[in-house]
Structures are given as C-alpha cells and as structure tokens.
Amino acid sequence: MAAKQHKALVIVESPAKARKIGEYLGKDYIVLASMGHVRDLPSGAAEVPAELKKEQWATLGVNIDQQFEPVYVVPKDKKKTVKELKDALKTCSELILATDEDREGESIGWHLMKLLEPKVPVSRMVFSEITKDAIQKAIRNTRELDQNLVEAQETRRVVDRLYGYRLSPLLWKKVAPRLSAGRVQSVAVRVLVRRELERLAFRKGSYWDLKAALATASSARFDAALATVGGQRVAQGRDFDESTGRLKTDADVLLLDEAQSKALQTKLEESRDWVVSNVETRLQTRKPYPPFTTSTLQQEANRKLGLSARETMQIAQRLYENGFITYMRTDSVSLSQEAISASRACVTNRYGQEFLHPEVRQYTTKSKSAQEAHEAIRPAGVEMKTAEELSLNGREGALYAMIWKRTVATQMAEAQLRFQTVTIGTLDVEFRATGRHVEFAGFFRAYVEGSDDPEGALEDSEAALPPMEKGQQLTCKEVQALAHETKPPARYTEATLVKTLEEEGIGRPSTYASIIGTIQDRGYVRKQGNQLVPTFTAMAVTKLLEKNFSRLVDLQFTARMEQDLDDIANGQAERLPYLKSFYSGETGLDEQVKQNEAGIDPREACTLDIDGVNAKVRLGKFGAFFEGEREGQLVTATIPDDIAPADLTNELAEKLITQKSQGPQSLGIDPESGLPIFLLIGPFGPYLQLGEMKDGEKPRRVSIPKTRDVSTVKLEDALEYMKLPKTLGPHPETGKVVKAGIGMYGPYVHHDKTYKSLDKTDDILQMTMERALELLAQARVRVPVAPLKELGAHPVDGDPVQIFEGKYGPYIKHGKTNATIPKDRELDSVTIEEAVRLLDERVAKGGGSTGRRGGKKVTKKAAAKKAAASAELVTPKKAAPKKKAAKKATKKSVT
DNA sequence: CAGTGAGCGAGCTTCCGCTTGACTT
C-alpha cells in the first residue's frame, strides 16, 4: 500500500553532501549518495559474467572486436548502495541526478539511470557550491544528461583499461609477476627513475669562497660574500656541470681552491680599506597564493606538517564530514561569493582595514586538465572560525589552520618588500651583501608559504642591511674561507611528485594519494624518510617501456589524450576512431604488445647497465644482484635492500662480488667448540653462524642488530653475540631470571612473561641488569581482559568459549577465532551451541582467525586474500617480497 | 629466522577514478 508520495529522489556522490543538500531542499526531496561510481568494468576474472568468461577479451572487460563495447558490472561493495537507491526510487515520482559537474560525475549519473531504469521523469542538476541559494537555484534549472561527456568518460575508462591490462601481463612475462603498468603510474615511476639516473650521473664539484663580516660605524655586523677577484666572477654551484663535476666550459669564472682562498683570506684580513662601491635597491610586491586545491594542500601539508598525501586526505575527510571545510578533492582555486565576503569580513575584524585588499581577489585555475566541479578547499560556512574557536587540535587543527590562513590571506593586501644589494670593494676584490626588508607585511601577517609560524617568518625575513651609501667606509671584523660542494638534484618527495604530476595534468585530485600508494605497493618505489626512491625493478620496467612503448610513457601522453577527450565531449570527435587509433592497426597497442611479447628477451629486460659500474645489475626473484666475474667464474652477489640505484659505485660492486667469491669469511675460531664463526648475510640481514652447515643439522645462528655497523664486528664481539640469549641474573623482586637476546623483532630483554625491545641507543652486548630492569619497567603490562561472559568448554577441544567486549561491540572468542554476535542479539541468551555455530561459520568464511602479528607470510596471505575477495583463493606459494600488505607488515622485516 | 637469482604447474596477478565504511585483540 505504498501510496506513492510525490517526492523527488536526488542522488549526489557523497553522503556528507547529501545531508547538507537535504537540509536545503526540505521534505519534498529524498537526497541519497551513490558513493562514487556504481558500475565499472570487471576488475578481474572473478567479476566477469559467466557467459563471457570464454571470450578472448573477457578479462579486459572490453569487447575489442565489437566497437570496444564495455562490460559493466556492479562491484560487490556497491550492491548494497544500488539496492538502497532502487528501493528509494520506488517511493518517488521524480529522479534528479545531482552528481558532480565533471566528466566522471556525468558518467555516474548516466550509469545510475541505466541501473535504476526509472519509470519517472529524470533530470540532471548541477551546482558548484553548496549554499541554500545555489542549491535552490540549481534545482529550478535542471538539464538533460550530456551524452557526449558520458562518452568521453567511457573513452577515458577504456583507454586506461587497455593500457593497464595489456601492458601489465607483458611485464609479468618479461620482468616479474604482479607488476603493473598504467597511464598514470608508469609516468610517475618514470619521473622518479629519470631523477635517479641524473643522480647516478652526477659528479661532485667543489669550490671555495670567502665570507666577510662587515660593519658600519654604528651598525651590528653583517655578512657579505666574495663576488669578484680582479674583475672576474668567482665560481658558484651553478657554474658546475652536474654530470662531470667540472666547471661548465662556457663559464668565464674564477675557480678558487683551498690554498688560493686561504691566501686571499690572509691578504684581505690585513686590508683596512673596505668601501661601499654600489648600492642597489629594488621594491617588490608579493601577492597571496591561491586558495588550496587537493594538490597544493597535499604539498603544503607534506612540507609544513610532514604528512603524507594519504594522511592529509584522511584528516581532510574528517574535517569535511564534520562540516569544517568544503570538499577536499578539487582542482579549482575559485572561491564562492560566500567565502570571499566571509574572508573579507574576517580580515577587517582581525587585522584591520589596512590589511584588506581593496578589491575582491578571485583566482583562476591555470591547469588545463582541471574540471572544476567544486570550489577551492576552504573553511566551510560564513563564519571563518579559527581552529581554536572550533576547538580543533592535533593534526586536524594544524591542517585546518593551514586552510584557514590560506583562505583568509587571499583577500589580504599585497606584501611590500625592499631588497638591497650592496657591493663592497677592497684591494682588487668585490664582496656582495643582500638584505631584505618587509616594508608592509600585508598577507604575510596571516600566512607565509612553507613556514609554520608567520610571526617568526616575518622576523627571519627581516634580514635587512644597515643603511649604507656609496663611498662609505666599512670595517672588516672577520674573513672566513669556506669550502663548498655541489649537490646532486634532490630526489622527489610526495609533495614534489604530486606537484609535477598535476603540472603535467597526470592523475586527478582523488588519485594523487593513491598513486603514491600504488607505486610503493608494486615495489617500484620505497620511501626513505621523505624521499621517494625508485627501486631496481622501477629502473628495469621504465627501461622496457621507454624502449618499446615510448609514446605511452611520454609525459605528454595524458595531455594529448585529454585534448581528444575534450573533442569528444564537445561533440567534435567520436570515441570509436580514437580508440581504434589507440589500440588497433599497425601502430596500435595490440600489435605493439604482440610484437614485444615475441621480441623482448626477459633476461635482457631484467639486466641493467649502470654507468660507471663494471658488473651487471640483474633482477632476480629475491631482489637485485650484481653479476660479475672472478677467475673466469660467474659470481652473483645480492645488493642490500637499502642501497638505492644512485648509490651504486663500482667499488661497492667489486667489494660485494669479491666477498661472495671468497665464500663465507670466518671471523676466527670459537675457542670453546673449536668451530669457525662466519659472518653471513641472509634475507633478514647480517648474521653470525657457528660452524658449517651440516646435513639436517642447523648450526647455531644469531642476528646482528640493525643498529650495529657490521664492518666493526670482530671475533671478540662475535663470540659475545653467540652467547645470546644470556642470563643477566635473578630479578630482584620475583627472583625469576632476566635474559637478554636477539629475536625476530631485534634485541630484547625478557623476564617472566614480559618481553621488551631495546632502544636504538642500547647495545645488547653492554646490557646490564640495571638497564634491563629499566626497560622492563617501560614494557606495556598486558592486563588480561576479563571476559564479559563464560559460555563453557568447546565441544571439540574443551577450550573455553568466551564473550569479550571489542572495539565494535561484543564478540565470541575461542582460541584464536573470533566471531561477531549479531547486532540485535541479547548477550545473555547466547548459548554455547549458538556460539559454536557462529564460530564455525566464521572459520568457514575464512580469514579472521589469523593473528595480525603472527607469522609474516600468514599476514600477507590473509591480506592478499581479503583483497582478492574470493573465498577459496589459494595464494601462490611464491613469496612476493613487496605486496599489498607490505605497508602494515614492514615492521616485521626488522630482523 | 637464513644463502637463492630456478625444474614441474592451475589459475591468478593488472588499470584509473569516483566515493565510504569495512569489521573485529
């Protein structure tokens, strides 16, 4: 008796948006969220509809013989959403598609229509800011779905699928299983690899110069740097060629070495005649930076707050969901009227009229690929409350404060700076000093990019010089000779990589963070502090792609694709000719892959020629290794995991190969057993072994802690390490023994049931009872949690079955198996029989019973299993060193 | 918890872009 109410169903993409829009539209509308895309190409064999499985193109999900017709499926995690939307539509008399106003949003709208098969009128509503006015206006001005835009999206989707799913399998065959290639990731990796090669080619250059501390009669001292000698400019870093480490041939400069600079220093120290020969002043105005987009927010949060792109997005998501900021995935720098007037009011109140920019400042997006479906990231609403006023603290507060400052600053006055360059002459030598003075702080008052503390930054920038005029006499307090070395081009960080990708139009706001995740998960990149370091695998894959698919890994590929997609969106081109030219024919992707499948030698693809290193670098199943020759024999030697490609030197290669060819080196003989002690390197790092391997019998082994420099381990210490675990003595309180040893997770002390890892600064060989007690006192005491209820013994093994309170509500525990209790279930009425049934169901479902910190391989498998979302999937036996779970499991690899 | 760069092998891996909860000591 569902008397059809005359309500309209409005579908947007995000639930937070749905809530807000629901408020503005009132009770005649039901506003729901699609949660992004609702249909997609099948992601793998498991999702391909049964009737298509036997098709050649099944796993592509695109019928390449029939006009590249895509196969669309509703992914498992979207089934629920789709059902909810269908149910809601049954009660409505109108459907309004209010997905984002961009290519992807238009497509989501179209897919929704295909899926929901509405029998009621459908319209398309768009808006770019979420205010009551804007929404009400938008709903009065609906339009039709734009089929051209939908087609452009589908073309994008198909190109990405064909690119990724044709090239990746080629990499599996030629380089290593589970690798991947893609329009975005392969270019990202290539960017990192090219920089690494520049670093590899880099040769250090060194030069000297002088620094003089000078002062006027009345001023404090200031520094000036040597500029010219005898009229010739003195060499600086930029005069050096990075690949030779020598002066560029066209550089007409004077290169000073140590002796020359020190001689000059002595000479100048005696000079009493220092005169200002020139004073130049230049005024500069600085405009505030545009408000944040996803990309600039990620860059700035990485620089200022040390957050990864992913962390930034997680925090921003929370701020957005709680209504503190506008939508965080955007490529637009435009601010709504609401935001502009709120910011201007805020500037006047907080800093005064003089700090307000006289006119409204609006920014326009430069990026060509921008789609601008949202406004810039800014504090939501009209009040412009500060983080303190909103009681935000921690990382949320810090990120919000950054957004607040950047937004408010956009409406502030320009900053006025005065730069001064003073040239000082003495003998035949010139020195130069530059000063900067902030004439008017303007927006600096609120915000200085790259600096966390505007006030402090203002003072720093006050490196002004004392007033000086031409001909003025100065006194010299000190002259120093300084050595300099040129530095290789810096590795990319998350911030600089995101910046580069955005500039090239590669990737979208919603994907910057996940790109960085993907290239790490696939083992192309490793993070070292803030640096992104490409691996040898990345080098090999990039080499293969550059050589055989140069068009596809060109930085311009995406930009060109975007132009074609624009043409399709404008109705000036069609998808089919574009897809054909990309995939089919002589020069198409299909043919290229086929040729290379036959043509590429896997052994060659896995071999790298490194400039300056005689040995070959090759990729094996267990990582990269050197292959060299000793006495006519091929010798292979593992390259340690923490060695980056640019760190390779011929010396390192020779050393490792020699070591390997000589076999295990004995550090000496253990006097007790008479056996030699070997220093060896295994998959988990260096370790010591007493005696040779005998069949069946494993010799005694002990790891060397990561904190210890292996080259300093001599027989004496080796003997000490071999004594581990050793007893330190009885615990003064319990009388039970306290031990020190090295285990899976590194060096530890142990007492009773408590284990505690040593600090980085502790040396296990120097461990004393006193320090051990200190460490044990720090150990987290495991208080056994009392069960909520005992259900009795399990019928199979007699172990107890108990109910515990967990983070997500009560659960049943038996051994290592946990099972959820259905939400609506009364705890008191759960019987042992029911509990056993729930536990069995849990086991049958798979997963869940393995401890997270258990065996490392188990953890990985469990995670891989989850990802595959397939119940009976058997994970292959081959150990994959870098996989999905790698992020969470990295800690395990520490000895 | 350990020395390799691979021998047999069914069926699997993989893309980009849009969006949240998911589930469990």
Side-chain angles (χ1 to χ4, degrees):
Chain A
M1 41 165 258
K4 203 167 235 191
Q5 300 155 41
H6 292 283
K7 284 197 177 190
L9 174 62
V10 179
I11 304 179
V12 297
E13 292 179 40
S14 140
K17 233 187 249 179
R19 233 180 301 131
K20 196 92 204 165
I21 293 171
E23 281 171 33
Y24 293 149
L25 288 177
K27 60 178 172 31
D28 293 338
Y29 297 87
I30 300 175
V31 187
L32 293 177
S34 75
M35 312 275 193
H37 277 290
V38 284
R39 289 204 308 186
D40 193 10
L41 303 175
S43 70
E47 276 187 5
V48 177
E51 68 273 20
L52 298 177
K53 279 219 159 91
K54 55 182 187 315
E55 302 287 348
Q56 284 253 303
W57 45 268
T59 49
L60 284 179
V62 176
N63 188 342
I64 46 180
D65 305 322
Q66 287 296 320
Q67 315 197 330
F68 298 93
E69 194 62 39
V71 176
Y72 287 120
V73 297
V74 178
K76 211 175 156 203
D77 60 330
K78 287 292 164 57
K79 294 232 155 82
K80 199 172 143 216
T81 310
V82 171
K83 184 173 185 316
E84 282 166 7
L85 294 174
K86 276 187 175 163
D87 289 347
L89 184 59
K90 283 179 199 155
T91 71
C92 292
S93 57
E94 192 188 348
L95 173 62
I96 301 173
L97 303 168
T99 45
D100 294 349
E101 189 181 14
D102 57 18
R103 201 162 62 209
E104 298 296 325
E106 203 73 15
S107 168
I108 294 173
W110 178 80
H111 278 288
L112 282 168
M113 206 167 74
K114 288 284 165 190
L115 268 174
L116 301 179
E117 301 175 308
K119 311 267 185 294
V120 294
V122 182
S123 54
R124 168 86 169 110
M125 158 181 166
V126 293
F127 46 87
S128 58
E129 58 179 284
I130 304 179
T131 57
K132 194 163 186 174
D133 273 0
I135 295 299
Q136 287 177 344
K137 201 166 151 195
I139 205 146
R140 289 193 300 267
N141 293 288
T142 57
R143 59 167 170 83
E144 305 264 285
L145 272 174
D146 181 344
Q147 284 303 328
N148 289 334
L149 204 51
V150 173
E151 194 164 292
Q153 191 279 343
E154 188 171 272
T155 310
R156 196 278 304 157
R157 183 68 190 89
V158 170
V159 166
D160 282 336
R161 169 53 62 95
L162 295 173
Y163 186 134
Y165 275 37
R166 286 306 309 271
L167 287 188
S168 300
L170 185 69
L171 297 180
W172 305 339
K173 281 179 203 143
K174 306 299 182 186
V175 184
R178 272 177 281 274
L179 291 177
S180 60
R183 172 176 57 84
V184 171
Q185 59 170 285
S186 294
V187 176
V189 169
R190 181 172 178 223
V191 163
L192 302 181
V193 165
R194 294 179 120 194
R195 178 61 53 86
E196 196 69 12
L197 289 171
E198 284 169 25
R199 288 174 66 90
L200 193 66
F202 173 81
R203 298 288 171 265
K204 218 160 44 184
S206 65
Y207 59 96
W208 285 71
D209 68 0
L210 300 179
K211 190 170 88 175
L214 304 168
T216 64
S218 56
S219 76
R221 49 194 255 173
F222 62 92
D223 287 336
L226 180 65
T228 64
V229 176
Q232 197 179 19
R233 191 165 69 76
V234 175
Q236 293 172 306
R238 61 184 150 90
D239 298 313
F240 287 83
D241 185 322
E242 296 199 325
S243 52
T244 61
R246 308 226 169 156
L247 277 184
K248 289 178 185 162
T249 43
D250 59 346
D252 178 23
V253 291
L254 177 68
L255 178 62
L256 294 180
D257 63 17
E258 180 171 5
Q260 290 166 319
S261 66
K262 290 202 164 151
L264 193 55
Q265 175 195 13
T266 319
K267 200 167 88 179
L268 291 177
E269 274 169 345
E270 274 150 30
S271 168
R272 292 286 159 264
D273 188 33
W274 296 71
V275 180
V276 175
S277 59
N278 194 25
V279 177
E280 263 177 61
T281 303
R282 127 184 102 77
L283 286 172
Q284 210 182 65
T285 56
R286 292 272 170 87
K287 286 196 185 109
Y289 314 96
F292 280 128
T293 60
T294 305
S295 148
T296 50
L297 180 70
Q298 288 176 1
Q299 292 169 40
E300 189 86 334
N302 184 248
R303 279 201 297 266
K304 272 194 188 174
L305 309 178
L307 298 175
S308 69
R310 173 141 290 159
E311 287 169 327
T312 300
M313 294 313 280
Q314 282 166 349
I315 297 165
Q317 175 89 27
R318 281 203 297 277
L319 288 170
Y320 164 67
E321 280 171 8
N322 291 319
F324 295 131
I325 61 170
T326 54
Y327 196 60
M328 65 283 156
R329 287 185 276 263
T330 177
D331 50 21
S332 169
V333 287
S334 68
L335 290 170
S336 62
Q337 278 314 310
E338 171 185 281
I340 289 173
S341 42
S343 299
R344 294 185 71 81
C346 176
V347 174
T348 317
N349 293 338
R350 216 168 268 274
Y351 304 107
Q353 193 68 32
E354 57 176 326
F355 282 91
L356 185 69
H357 189 60
E359 296 111 45
V360 164
R361 205 186 267 116
Q362 181 68 276
Y363 294 82
T364 43
T365 305
K366 274 177 288 171
S367 164
K368 262 193 283 171
S369 58
Q371 309 210 1
E372 304 205 70
H374 305 92
E375 52 173 318
I377 305 172
R378 59 150 177 118
V382 294
E383 293 183 80
M384 296 303 282
K385 284 191 179 164
T386 61
E388 294 76 46
E389 287 162 356
L390 293 168
S391 309
L392 288 169
N393 41 42
R395 303 199 298 181
E396 264 176 61
L399 194 71
Y400 179 86
M402 260 177 43
I403 295 168
W404 185 92
K405 288 176 194 167
R406 183 100 162 200
T407 309
V408 170
T410 61
Q411 299 309 315
M412 291 178 76
E414 289 166 359
Q416 308 280 345
L417 303 175
R418 182 163 47 85
F419 289 91
Q420 208 178 13
T421 306
V422 178
T423 310
I424 302 116
T426 185
L427 306 178
D428 65 338
V429 167
E430 280 182 320
F431 279 76
R432 211 156 274 150
T434 54
R436 180 176 115 142
H437 175 70
V438 178
E439 300 271 288
F440 175 61
F443 76 94
F444 278 9
R445 186 60 63 200
Y447 189 92
V448 178
E449 190 169 31
S451 151
D452 205 11
D453 167 18
E455 297 299 326
L458 279 181
E459 275 162 35
D460 274 356
S461 57
E462 278 302 84
L465 293 173
M468 279 177 274
E469 50 192 52
K470 199 169 168 179
Q472 187 173 346
Q473 189 80 25
L474 301 177
T475 48
C476 176
K477 307 280 185 189
E478 190 187 5
V479 181
Q480 282 176 283
L482 299 174
H484 301 277
E485 265 182 359
T486 57
K487 291 208 173 60
R491 287 210 178 89
Y492 281 86
T493 63
E494 291 200 12
T496 53
L497 181 62
V498 167
K499 182 163 189 257
T500 304
L501 292 179
E502 195 206 19
E503 282 168 359
E504 300 289 342
I506 298 167
R508 301 278 310 133
S510 66
T511 60
Y512 296 133
S514 54
I515 293 164
I516 293 167
T518 301
I519 58 182
Q520 286 179 84
D521 288 349
R522 301 279 169 271
Y524 289 135
V525 172
R526 179 167 62 82
K527 262 191 100 168
Q528 203 174 65
N530 208 18
Q531 292 182 348
L532 298 172
V533 186
T535 60
F536 292 100
T537 311
M539 310 276 274
V541 167
T542 299
K543 186 182 84 168
L544 186 153
L545 294 176
E546 281 180 340
K547 210 166 149 190
N548 303 291
F549 300 94
S550 56
R551 181 177 61 112
L552 298 186
V553 287
D554 191 316
L555 279 159
Q556 292 298 305
F557 178 81
T558 293
R560 283 197 279 267
M561 178 192 78
E562 288 290 345
Q563 282 171 15
D564 287 308
L565 296 182
D566 278 351
D567 290 346
I568 296 172
N570 295 332
Q572 290 164 10
E574 293 188 359
R575 75 189 265 286
L576 195 56
Y578 178 72
L579 289 175
K580 271 186 179 159
S581 74
F582 172 71
Y583 192 77
S584 315
E586 198 69 1
T587 56
L589 177 64
D590 186 39
E591 186 57 36
Q592 304 242 303
V593 171
K594 280 177 180 156
Q595 279 176 18
N596 285 309
E597 237 156 38
I600 297 174
D601 170 19
R603 202 183 147 83
E604 203 262 293
C606 289
T607 306
L608 295 166
D609 252 326
I610 304 284
D611 265 355
V613 178
N614 296 332
K616 295 257 185 268
V617 172
R618 301 194 48 213
L619 284 171
K621 199 169 170 184
F622 308 104
F625 60 96
F626 287 120
E627 189 177 83
E629 215 176 89
R630 282 293 178 280
E631 292 144 16
Q633 295 278 311
L634 267 192
V635 180
T636 62
T638 303
I639 301 175
D641 266 351
D642 54 344
I643 299 287
D647 299 342
L648 292 190
T649 58
N650 200 43
E651 295 77 71
L652 177 75
E654 294 302 316
K655 194 181 103 190
L656 289 174
I657 291 169
T658 303
Q659 262 176 24
K660 181 69 185 295
S661 70
Q662 290 170 348
Q665 290 297 292
S666 163
L667 292 173
I669 303 295
D670 170 31
E672 251 173 63
S673 60
L675 292 169
I677 293 186
F678 295 108
L679 175 60
L680 302 161
I681 295 172
F684 309 105
Y687 66 100
L688 298 164
Q689 176 173 300
L690 185 63
E692 311 255 0
M693 280 281 273
K694 282 177 289 196
D695 38 357
E697 292 273 315
K698 268 192 188 173
R700 249 183 67 68
R701 287 168 170 160
V702 61
S703 286
I704 295 171
K706 281 264 193 283
T707 51
R708 176 74 192 251
D709 176 2
V710 181
S711 64
T712 66
V713 176
K714 302 280 178 273
L715 179 65
E716 197 186 3
D717 281 351
L719 291 170
E720 287 300 311
Y721 279 120
M722 286 315 287
K723 285 184 190 147
L724 299 173
K726 69 178 174 194
T727 302
L728 295 173
H731 193 283
E733 280 164 30
T734 63
K736 292 182 182 168
V737 288
V738 176
K739 285 182 178 176
I742 297 176
M744 277 217 288
Y745 307 111
Y748 65 87
V749 288
H750 170 221
H751 163 245
D752 199 9
K753 285 181 181 116
T754 311
Y755 286 84
K756 171 74 180 140
S757 288
L758 269 59
D759 278 355
K760 280 193 194 111
T761 50
D762 284 316
D763 180 355
I764 181 112
L765 298 182
Q766 308 293 322
M767 187 48 55
T768 59
M769 178 60 114
E770 194 185 3
R771 176 65 185 145
L773 293 176
E774 231 173 82
L775 285 164
L776 287 165
Q778 292 167 17
R780 198 162 50 95
V781 185
R782 271 180 188 250
V783 185
V785 185
L788 287 180
K789 201 172 170 227
E790 293 278 358
L791 293 175
H794 193 280
V796 177
D797 59 10
D799 284 347
V801 177
Q802 299 160 313
I803 298 181
F804 283 93
E805 182 62 42
K807 201 156 73 177
Y808 310 94
Y811 63 96
I812 302 166
K813 184 176 187 67
H814 165 244
K816 282 182 176 170
T817 308
N818 299 317
T820 314
I821 300 173
K823 275 219 171 69
D824 47 351
R825 201 70 180 78
E826 270 291 318
L827 274 195
D828 286 338
S829 63
V830 178
T831 61
I832 179 84
E833 290 77 22
E834 190 183 358
V836 169
R837 184 173 56 76
L838 287 167
L839 286 165
D840 288 347
E841 281 169 12
R842 179 74 203 142
V843 172
K845 248 171 92 182
S849 67
T850 42
R852 281 224 122 166
R853 287 164 196 279
K856 57 190 196 306
K857 278 172 190 158
V858 179
T859 315
K860 274 187 193 168
K861 275 187 193 172
K865 211 172 212 174
K866 248 187 202 164
S870 159
E872 72 275 274
L873 173 94
V874 179
T875 317
K877 251 192 125 173
K878 306 166 189 169
K882 275 139 202 162
K883 289 220 321 209
K884 272 246 153 134
K887 267 201 205 128
K888 287 221 166 116
T890 33
K891 285 215 172 97
K892 63 86 186 124
S893 67
V894 180
T895 330

